[in-house]
Amino acid sequence: MLAPFPSDRVSSDSMSIPPLSVRDLSVQYGGRTALSGFSWDAPERGLVAIVGPNGAGKSTLLKAVLGLVPKARGTAEIFGRSVSDQRDLLAYVPQRASVDWDFPATAADVVAMGLYRRIGWLKPVRSADRVSAHNYLDMVRLSEFADRQIGALSGGQQQRVFLARALAQQAKLFLLDEPFAGVDAVTEGVMTEVFRSLRDAGALVVCVHHDLSSVKEIFDHVVLLNRELIASGPVATTFTPDNIARTYGVPLSLNPGQ
Amino acid sequence: MISFLQIDLPALLVGTLAALVCTLIGNFLVLTRQSMLGDAMGHVVLPGIVIAFVLAGTTATWVMLAGAFAAALFSAMLVEFLRRVARVEPSAALGSVFTVMFALGVLLLEQSGVARTSFDVHHILFGNIETAIWPAATSLASLFDLNALASLPPQLGRLAFGLAVVALFVVVLFKELRVVSFDPDFARTVGIPPQLIGGIVVSLAALAAVVSLSAVGVILLVAMMVCPPATARMLTDDLKTQVWLSLLFALASGIFGYAIAVLLPLAFGYEISFGAAGTIAVVAGLLQLGAMLFGAKRGQPRTA
């Protein structure tokens, strides 16, 4: 079922507070500008792709929103408040390459990390939490791998473990960094399905995405980024060859969707 | 029997407790690829101890501990400063800070004239388990005699305190330590600050270094922090099991290391026994070699 999505302009004018609202965000890396003057109000719900060339500041945008890298300027609000007030409402999936997959943990151990916030400081993970972790693994069709060491999983399975951990957080806003990078067809199918059910449940899923050819089939909104915002809006009207060419700086002959 | 109680038992306890406290916190250094931090902690406490002695004029336990701890924390902050602000490569930052601090300690030690009176550089470098003696022990009954127990070597009390503190933090913060070690960015987004947990780990490593320094010495400290956890890591994929196994290996290193130091030279008719700190480290290394050769997980497929 596809609910009609209000356009960005309508949603920001309406009474509802956007899940993510970024104002004039700039990030510097050692004197170099990684992101400059980025402003964006996310739609209330749906699947958003952040698209742009390498080094366009896509991952940096997510990290700056989450406070993982310092902002040189600007603000980011989650449902109208600062990130530190809204941690219960958001789930972050970092790039798969950012963690040590040799770590002594099973798939279920990693998924249980999504429950840590609700378990609370200083309290141990209990058997009820482990049961819960198994249920989330089941949602990404990995229940039979629950006790497998994470390094012994395939890249796609690792990505699904990360997705299950995000699901365990029961968030309303999901920020994922390249979830589709280097995954197999099964994983791509499972993830797309999970994202759609999240959207249908009213959540907003924002993915840094690198594969232009799959934007139309997976996402319904797009943010085109190259160190600054190039364009944003529904895929149907915003993901045009013209906008893509402006984002990538060269008139690409690629016709998205073909 | 009396000589065992007076000489061997306290030394055995000191060696084993030192191995245990270093190993326990060492698990989290190895997991976060900061093994050399343990080495650094051992080196940087030297100037701390000497400065504390010069300032306070006493070798009282708590003065020494405070000085060593302050030096360790100062160095940890200096390393962070070099890394973040001056953008020095992490291992270079660590390497320069801990060697310079150690050199400063050596200079202070020689210049302040305490070298001959209260400190023995040889002991600080290589450890000295053998000076832990319990002359008050007269029979097995001494084990239950509060007066006799009160005269146990003071290092034992320090080690027991250090082990208790490290164990408390590891138990209470186990899940926080796990998530911060595995995925610090994620940990931060769920409100568990990696800097805070990392700071606690560094502080506990400093504490472990301080309480066990007089037993195992600066040079062998890192062996105690790294070998048992690395050995355990090769045998299991469960963090809790790894920690327990590493403690078991630390215990075995302490007991067998000390036994070898005492018994092996006797068996060959030598008069002088080995330094137990050295044999404990060698046993820990041999256990690691054994795990590498015969470890159950060896050759298991891994993805990069």
Side-chain angles (χ1 to χ4, degrees):
Chain A
M1 51 154 270
L2 268 175
F5 284 94
S7 80
D8 286 353
R9 195 169 47 78
V10 171
S11 77
S12 61
D13 285 345
S14 73
M15 293 301 289
S16 65
I17 308 158
L20 175 60
S21 175
V22 185
R23 283 286 159 271
D24 194 28
L25 179 65
S26 295
V27 179
Q28 307 268 339
Y29 274 138
R32 198 180 62 90
T33 300
L35 196 64
S36 165
F38 180 91
S39 295
W40 179 56
D41 279 327
E44 252 177 90
R45 61 176 184 165
L47 309 181
V48 182
I50 300 176
V51 174
N54 288 334
K58 307 186 293 285
S59 299
T60 301
L61 171 60
L62 292 194
K63 288 182 177 174
V65 162
L66 292 162
L68 299 176
V69 298
K71 302 176 187 72
R73 210 176 59 225
T75 57
E77 287 186 339
I78 312 279
F79 292 100
R81 298 173 68 182
S82 76
V83 173
S84 51
D85 291 337
Q86 303 283 42
R87 298 199 187 283
D88 292 326
L89 297 178
L90 67 92
Y92 171 56
V93 175
Q95 278 186 31
R96 192 160 52 84
S98 70
V99 303
D100 171 18
W101 292 96
D102 248 359
F103 196 85
T106 61
D109 287 335
V110 173
V111 175
M113 289 176 190
L115 303 165
Y116 282 9
R117 192 168 169 79
R118 253 173 295 144
I119 294 170
W121 274 86
L122 314 183
K123 293 187 193 128
V125 177
R126 301 191 182 282
S127 54
D129 303 316
R130 278 188 278 274
V131 170
S132 170
H134 276 81
N135 291 338
Y136 288 108
L137 273 172
D138 199 29
M139 290 183 199
V140 296
R141 302 209 203 115
L142 281 179
S143 42
E144 69 269 40
F145 296 99
D147 298 323
R148 185 80 68 90
Q149 198 266 331
I150 47 173
L153 299 170
S154 75
Q157 289 166 335
Q158 290 173 345
Q159 195 66 60
R160 277 189 269 162
V161 168
F162 263 7
L163 179 59
R165 179 177 73 177
L167 291 175
Q169 292 180 262
Q170 298 187 340
K172 288 198 162 61
L173 169 63
F174 293 79
L175 302 174
L176 301 94
D177 202 342
E178 300 265 17
F180 290 97
V183 303
D184 51 287
V186 177
T187 298
E188 194 173 320
V190 169
M191 288 203 305
T192 309
E193 191 184 307
V194 168
F195 288 165
R196 285 186 180 141
S197 60
L198 285 173
R199 173 185 63 195
D200 295 345
L204 177 73
V205 179
V206 179
C207 298
V208 168
H209 194 65
H210 66 292
D211 178 14
L212 294 179
S213 67
S214 60
V215 168
K216 274 195 174 168
E217 74 188 74
I218 301 174
F219 297 96
D220 40 48
H221 278 68
V222 66
V223 171
L224 291 159
L225 180 71
N226 191 354
R227 299 203 187 174
E228 54 186 26
L229 180 67
I230 307 294
S232 69
V235 168
T237 54
T238 308
F239 196 60
T240 58
D242 200 35
N243 280 337
I244 294 167
R246 285 205 294 140
T247 308
Y248 284 79
V250 283
L252 290 190
S253 57
L254 181 90
N255 185 2
Q258 276 187 357
Chain B
M1 189 44 160
I2 291 171
S3 88
F4 175 79
L5 282 179
Q6 290 186 335
I7 297 166
D8 295 314
L9 181 68
L12 195 57
L13 282 174
V14 165
T16 307
L17 283 175
L20 287 173
V21 66
C22 289
T23 292
L24 187 53
I25 194 61
N27 274 288
F28 298 95
L29 298 179
V30 170
L31 280 178
T32 50
R33 312 202 164 174
Q34 300 186 90
S35 301
M36 293 318 286
L37 195 67
D39 201 17
M41 288 301 122
H43 283 79
V44 300
V45 299
L46 182 63
I49 289 174
V50 180
I51 292 171
F53 173 78
V54 170
L55 290 180
T58 163
T59 54
T61 302
W62 299 105
V63 174
M64 298 290 99
L65 277 183
F69 201 63
L73 290 190
F74 171 75
S75 308
M77 285 190 286
L78 196 58
V79 169
E80 279 299 292
F81 174 80
L82 287 177
R83 276 180 49 191
R84 290 185 186 199
V85 182
R87 298 191 176 272
V88 176
E89 193 259 322
S91 61
L94 198 63
S96 51
V97 167
F98 86 75
T99 47
V100 170
M101 288 286 282
F102 187 67
L104 180 71
V106 173
L107 282 178
L108 286 171
L109 198 57
E110 287 170 348
Q111 289 305 311
S112 62
V114 293
R116 265 155 273 111
T117 56
S118 307
F119 294 95
D120 183 333
V121 176
H122 185 82
H123 286 172
I124 288 175
L125 286 180
F126 299 110
N128 185 13
I129 290 173
E130 288 74 10
T131 52
I133 52 169
W134 188 25
T138 49
S139 69
L140 273 182
S142 302
L143 287 173
F144 306 98
D145 177 354
L146 284 179
N147 287 328
L149 286 175
S151 69
L152 274 168
Q155 310 159 259
L156 265 182
R158 274 176 285 175
L159 280 163
F161 167 78
L163 183 59
V165 171
V166 175
L168 179 75
F169 274 96
V170 168
V171 168
V172 168
L173 288 173
F174 193 76
K175 91 179 182 305
E176 285 79 9
L177 284 165
R178 165 154 47 197
V179 68
V180 164
S181 305
F182 172 63
D183 192 346
D185 278 354
F186 172 82
R188 203 148 140 203
T189 65
V190 297
I192 299 172
Q195 296 91 334
L196 174 67
I197 303 293
I200 290 173
V201 169
V202 171
S203 306
L204 293 177
L207 179 67
V210 169
V211 296
S212 44
L213 192 64
S214 64
V216 294
V218 167
I219 296 175
L220 297 177
L221 196 69
V222 68
M224 288 297 95
M225 288 200 177
V226 172
C227 288
T231 309
R233 179 68 197 89
M234 278 184 266
L235 302 175
T236 178
D237 279 326
D238 178 66
L239 184 55
K240 232 172 233 176
T241 314
Q242 178 191 316
V243 173
W244 283 114
L245 274 179
S246 71
L247 292 174
L248 188 71
F249 290 133
L251 194 68
S253 305
I255 292 171
F256 291 113
Y258 185 74
I260 289 170
V262 174
L263 300 177
L264 199 65
L266 281 180
F268 288 96
Y270 292 111
E271 288 289 309
I272 306 160
S273 63
F274 293 143
T279 51
I280 289 172
V282 169
V283 170
L286 288 176
L287 285 171
Q288 190 174 357
L289 184 68
M292 275 158 69
L293 295 175
F294 308 110
K297 272 173 21 71
R298 204 172 114 83
Q300 199 173 300
R302 294 272 182 79
T303 52

